[in-house]
Amino acid sequence: MEQPIGNLELTPRMADVLKVFLADPAESRYGFEIMRATGQPSGTLYPILAKLEKAGWLTGGREDIDPHAEGRPARRFYRITGTAVPVARSQLAALSERYRPPARLRTRLRTESGAL
């Protein structure tokens, strides 16, 4: 049984990370893969992953490999929790709405650009 998730106020960078997980919630993700998808450097990404994991939004683990046979250390993987999926989607929608220009400004911008 999953533990309840902690309340987080999402930042745009956190939202970018969560979108990677929401693309396929059942899929495990590795740090380098997330860095490529988001364009975030490791110094930005790993603190976000740690924060999301501490709050119960992500679970993490190490891949089960023999480092000598593979020639590299085991990678750390992350997966979004089932409890976090609907909360993340809801908060992403709210964040998107928060950064959306007011309706009056959107109308003016469309008129000025000739999009009407």
Side-chain angles (χ1 to χ4, degrees), residues 15 43 50 57 64:
W57 289 53
D64 188 20

Side-chain angles (χ1 to χ4, degrees), residues 18-97:
L18 286 171
K19 284 189 232 176
V20 172
F21 288 99
L22 291 173
D24 185 353
E27 186 74 27
S28 294
R29 307 289 181 177
Y30 299 98
F32 187 69
E33 173 187 11
I34 301 166
M35 284 191 302
R36 281 193 317 231
T38 64
Q40 295 183 27
S42 61
T44 299
L45 177 66
Y46 285 104
I48 290 171
L49 292 171
K51 188 174 196 174
L52 290 169
E53 188 174 14
K54 183 177 180 183
W57 289 53
L58 301 178
T59 58
R62 293 231 176 255
E63 67 181 338
D64 188 20
I65 65 164
D66 177 357
H68 295 292
E70 295 294 327
R72 63 173 174 80
R75 291 183 279 193
R76 183 147 172 74
F77 64 83
Y78 303 87
R79 182 177 289 155
I80 192 166
T81 65
T83 307
V85 170
V87 176
R89 286 186 174 138
S90 173
Q91 287 201 19
L92 285 173
L95 187 65
S96 177
E97 189 59 33

